[in-house]
Amino acid sequence: MLGLIGVVLSLALLIYFAYKGYSIILLAPVTALVAGIFAGAPLMAMYTQVFMPAMGGFLITYFPLFLLGALFGKLMNDSGSAYSIARFIVERVGAKHAVLAVVTACGILAYGGVTVFVVVFAIWPIARELFQEAGIPKRFAPAAIGLGSFSFAMTAIPGTPQIQNAIPAPYFQTDAFAAPGLGLIAGAIMYVGGVLYLNRRVAAAQAKGEGYDNGALMQGEQTTGIGQEDEVTVPTTTPFWVAMLPIVLVITLNFLLVRYIFDLFDFSYLAEEKFKATSIDKVGGIWAIIISLLVACLLVLALNWNRLRERKKLLNQGASSSFLPIMNTASEVGYGAVIAALPAFAIIRDGAFGVSSNPAVSLAVSTNIVAGITGSASGGLSIAMNAFGAEYAAKAAEAGIDPEFMHRVASLAAGGFDALPHNGAVITVLAVTGLTHRQSYKDIGVVCVLIPIVALAVVLALGSAVGSF
C-alpha cells in the first residue's frame, strides 16, 4: 500500500510542477525516485540501471523520427508552406467557420508529418486573425488547435507518420496503415464531434455577448502569449500546390514502401546477430516513415531553394529543435520504466489485465493509464508496449484477433488520457496563445480526452463484433 501511495504522490508532483512550468527532463527522474523511496527501492540502481537504459532505448529507436519530423516542420514553416496551406483553407471556408478552418488546417499539417509543436506555432497567427475577425472568444483557440494537432491526425487516420502510429508496429508486425476502416471511423468521430462541440460552445458564448478577448474568464489574468502580433513573423507564402506536394509525398511513399516496395527486396540479412536478429516485419513500419520524411525534406528544399536562402542555419535550427521534444519524451519513458519496475505497478498492471478477457480492451485501458501517468502519448505508448506489448500480441494471436486491430487500438489509446493538464503539448499551446488552464482546459479536455475515448470505445465495439477492416 505504501508503494502505491508513492506512485500516486509521484504522479501528483509530476503534474503539479509540470503545470508550473518546470522541465520534464528534471522532473521525471526526481519524481520517479520519490516513488522509489516509498517502495524502499535502491535509488541509484533505479536511476542508472532502470531509468537511464529506458530513456536511452527510446532515444536509440525513435530519434530519427523526431529529427526528421522537426526538420520537415522547420522547412515547411520557413518556406511558407504551412502558412500557405492554412491560408488556402481559410479563404475557402471563411471566417464564420473559423473553428472548422483551424482544425482542418492543423489536421492536414499533422497528418503530413509536421510535429505537433511546429503546427501550434505555424497556425496560431492565422487562428488569432480568424477568431478576431469572427468575434470568436480567444479561449476556444487552444482546443481548436489541439483537436486538429493531437487527436485524429495523430492516432486515428491510417498512414499518419506521427510517432504514435509507428510505436505499435514492431510489436504487432504491422504498419502505419493498420486497420484503415476503423481508423477512419475513429477519426471521423473525433473530427466531427470535436468541431460540433466547439461550435456549440462558441455560439453559446457569443449569445451571452462574449467577444474575442472579453468575458468573465478573460478578466484579471495575463493573456500575452508567445503568439502576439509583435512577436510573430508571418513567412513568405508559397503556392498551395508546392506546399502540398511534400505532404502528399510523405503519405504516398509511406504506403508504397510498406505495402509494395519492401516486398521487392531480400531482407534476410536482418536475422543476423549484428542487426539484432530482427525482420523487416518488425522494422519496416519505422523504416518507411524515416525514408518518407527524409525524401519529403529534400523535396521541400528543392521546391523552395530560392525562398530558403539561409539553408545551413535553417537545417541546424531544425536539427536542434528536435532535442527538447525527444528528451522530454524519453525522460517520461524513463519515469514510466521506474514506475513499472516497482512492486506497486503490478497492482496497476493486474487491474488493467483484469478489466476484460478481451486483450484489445485490456490494451486500451493499460495504455490510457500509462499515457495519463506520463502525460505523453508517445511516452506512455512506448512504456505500455515495452511492458505489455509481447504479452498482448501473444494473447491476441491465441484469441484469433487481427494484429492490425491491436495496432489501431494501441495508437488510439495513446491519444486519450495523455492530454491531461500536465501534457507537454497542452502546456505549449496555452503558452503560445497566452491563456491559462482555467480559461481553456475544459474544452481541450473534451475534444482531446473525452471525445477520443468515445472514438476508442466505438472502435473496440466494432472491432470486437465484426473484426478489423
Side-chain angles (χ1 to χ4, degrees), residues 116-142:
V116 168
F117 298 97
V118 173
V119 173
V120 172
F121 281 93
I123 292 296
W124 170 233
I126 299 172
R128 181 187 59 229
E129 178 184 323
L130 272 177
F131 276 45
Q132 284 178 326
E133 182 180 344
I136 296 175
K138 175 186 177 182
R139 62 189 177 91
F140 295 115

Side-chain angles (χ1 to χ4, degrees), residues 45-246:
M46 294 300 286
Y47 179 66
T48 62
Q49 306 307 116
V50 179
F51 183 96
M52 289 305 300
M55 180 178 180
F58 185 86
L59 288 167
I60 289 170
T61 303
Y62 298 111
F63 178 69
L65 298 185
F66 278 83
L67 173 63
L68 291 169
L71 278 173
F72 184 57
K74 182 68 174 172
L75 289 166
M76 289 289 287
N77 189 62
D78 285 24
S79 67
S81 298
Y83 186 86
S84 177
I85 291 169
R87 175 52 58 192
F88 180 88
I89 294 169
V90 166
E91 288 174 351
R92 280 147 184 80
V93 172
K96 66 178 181 178
H97 300 296
V99 169
L100 176 64
V102 169
V103 171
T104 304
C106 289
I108 289 175
L109 292 176
Y111 183 60
V114 180
T115 59
V116 168
F117 298 97
V118 173
V119 173
V120 172
F121 281 93
I123 292 296
W124 170 233
I126 299 172
R128 181 187 59 229
E129 178 184 323
L130 272 177
F131 276 45
Q132 284 178 326
E133 182 180 344
I136 296 175
K138 175 186 177 182
R139 62 189 177 91
F140 295 115
I145 294 172
L147 173 59
S149 303
F150 39 96
S151 66
F152 63 91
M154 184 179 79
T155 63
I157 307 300
T160 176
Q162 297 294 337
I163 191 171
Q164 293 79 7
N165 194 35
I167 291 173
Y171 297 91
F172 300 115
Q173 298 187 25
T174 48
D175 56 55
F177 294 88
L182 292 172
L184 288 172
I185 290 171
I189 292 171
M190 295 183 212
Y191 179 76
V192 176
V195 170
L196 289 176
Y197 167 81
L198 287 177
N199 281 337
R200 289 190 64 180
R201 290 278 290 158
V202 167
Q206 289 177 324
K208 295 177 181 178
E210 186 176 346
Y212 176 73
D213 58 2
N214 62 352
L217 282 174
M218 299 300 292
Q219 302 305 313
E221 293 200 33
Q222 176 59 253
T223 58
T224 299
I226 297 171
Q228 290 301 94
E229 286 82 352
D230 59 346
E231 297 174 346
V232 171
T233 300
V234 176
T236 302
T237 56
T238 189
F240 175 74
W241 70 269
V242 175
M244 280 300 298
L245 272 179

Side-chain angles (χ1 to χ4, degrees), residues 366-412:
S366 59
T367 302
N368 258 301
I369 289 173
V370 181
I373 289 173
T374 61
S376 167
S378 55
L381 182 56
S382 180
I383 294 165
M385 289 293 94
N386 285 334
F388 314 127
E391 190 165 354
Y392 279 128
K395 286 181 177 293
E398 291 174 5
I401 296 175
D402 189 340
E404 290 200 7
F405 176 44
M406 298 294 286
H407 175 126
R408 189 55 52 206
V409 166
S411 183
L412 288 169

